[in-house]
Amino acid sequence: MRRPAAVRTVHAVMELPHEIVEHYQAADEGTRLTEASGRLEFVRTQEIVRRHLPAGPQRVLDIGGATGVHAAWLAADGHQVALFDIVPEHVAAAGRLAAGTPGMTASLGDARELPVPDGSFDAALLLGPLYHLTDRDDRLTALREARRAVRAGGWIFVAAISRFASLFDGLARGFLFDPEFRRIVSTDLTSGQHRNEGDHPHWFTTSYFHHPGELRQECLDAGLNVLDVLGVEGLAGWLPELAEQWDDPVNREVILQAVRTVESEPSLLGVSSHLIAVSRTPG
């Protein structure tokens, strides 16, 4: 027999390392995803989620939803979206957006301990928490917490940054010619632990970068059934000249189809800067 749903007793929200907070205070995540450099990631994330999320109103938990860029379109699709984020400034911005977006709410919350009843959602998005949970136990806790909050057979979409993201970004933007950046890349490739100790602009912030197989295994270890691990941007994400083609609907579809063609090709998954594990809760 299934145990009665109960709201968890939540302790104080964890304070993020200052460099992570400062990084997101300096850069608007919603703007990044809708500008040229992030449009491919945004559109591909939408289509991957929409491809699997059932039609009709679903109860969606947006964990680490930042300023609400994904919650807004999910609500516009007719879903009921509850966003939680650990950064107060993000929650405030998402709250302002939610005020004019029917079906959307925004609250402060830690991905590892959410104030929601067991099985109270049909689906969950973790499109960011795993980036900055640098300890494996914390990542597994967040994944298990999403599993707890989603009903049996519900969907969970988990994003991660590729282990090879800094290597390719460094080549594409010239950072790799800096010895300090090469040192960062070497650590990324060896351990997945990304540290920008010099606080250099555009070198990202304290993070964990997943090997594609590792993302799958962590989801499995958290008790999720993994349907697929998909590359979000593919090679197209590293070709800035494609931005000139994006506004043409025909050319945009050519770009998207090229990415879809290899989205689940195991030998090419690491080329994408972002990965999404499409999973379901047991049931």
Side-chain angles (χ1 to χ4, degrees):
M1 179 181 294
R2 187 174 181 177
R3 60 177 176 167
V7 177
R8 294 274 290 263
T9 299
V10 179
H11 304 293
V13 174
M14 178 192 76
E15 288 190 9
L16 284 176
H18 70 89
E19 68 273 15
I20 299 177
V21 174
E22 291 171 1
H23 172 82
Y24 285 107
Q25 286 176 336
D28 186 332
E29 181 69 359
T31 300
R32 181 188 74 82
L33 287 172
T34 53
E35 290 182 340
S37 61
R39 289 182 298 183
L40 176 61
E41 177 193 345
F42 183 53
V43 170
R44 282 282 295 149
T45 299
Q46 285 181 308
E47 72 173 25
I48 290 169
V49 173
R50 283 173 170 154
R51 186 189 303 168
H52 297 90
L53 195 62
Q58 301 286 306
R59 300 162 298 169
V60 181
L61 179 59
D62 188 3
I63 307 170
T67 57
V69 63
H70 291 297
W73 64 260
L74 284 162
D77 282 358
H79 303 297
Q80 299 293 313
V81 188
L83 178 151
F84 287 89
D85 198 272
I86 199 169
V87 180
E89 291 85 353
H90 283 176
V91 175
R96 291 190 292 271
L97 180 60
T101 306
M104 175 183 167
T105 63
S107 305
L108 192 67
D110 189 322
R112 299 164 305 168
E113 195 170 12
L114 295 166
V116 300
D118 295 359
S120 54
F121 290 87
D122 300 303
L125 276 61
L126 291 94
L127 302 181
L130 265 61
Y131 300 175
H132 304 299
L133 292 174
T134 56
D135 183 83
R136 185 177 188 273
D137 287 343
D138 282 339
R139 295 194 297 274
L140 291 180
T141 297
L143 290 168
R144 289 173 180 138
E145 184 69 345
R147 187 191 72 184
R148 178 191 68 79
V150 172
R151 63 168 176 79
W155 295 86
I156 298 181
F157 303 90
V158 185
I161 300 173
S162 166
R163 177 66 57 90
F164 309 98
S166 285
L167 175 66
F168 294 138
D169 192 39
L171 280 173
R173 298 205 279 173
F175 303 146
L176 204 59
F177 299 104
D178 186 313
E180 185 176 351
F181 191 80
R182 290 201 299 274
R183 180 189 58 77
I184 291 173
V185 170
S186 178
T187 302
D188 291 353
L189 295 175
T190 302
S191 67
Q193 298 288 343
H194 179 83
R195 300 292 185 274
N196 178 10
E197 294 172 353
D199 197 27
H200 291 272
H202 311 298
W203 289 11
F204 206 46
T205 187
T206 299
S207 310
Y208 186 78
F209 292 175
H210 280 79
H211 189 281
E214 182 184 28
L215 175 60
R216 178 186 293 272
Q217 190 59 53
E218 287 187 356
C219 290
L220 291 172
D221 290 346
L224 300 176
N225 297 329
V226 181
L227 280 68
D228 215 342
V229 174
L230 304 175
V232 177
E233 305 97 339
L235 179 61
W238 304 117
L239 302 176
E241 61 270 25
L242 294 179
E244 299 176 4
Q245 309 294 334
W246 187 263
D247 290 332
D248 183 313
V250 174
N251 292 345
R252 184 190 314 138
E253 184 57 29
V254 170
I255 296 169
L256 290 170
Q257 187 55 42
V259 177
R260 293 181 197 120
T261 299
V262 296
E263 67 178 11
S264 58
E265 169 54 48
S267 64
L268 296 175
L269 284 179
V271 173
S272 287
S273 56
H274 295 88
L275 308 163
I276 290 181
V278 179
S279 61
R280 302 190 77 167
T281 57

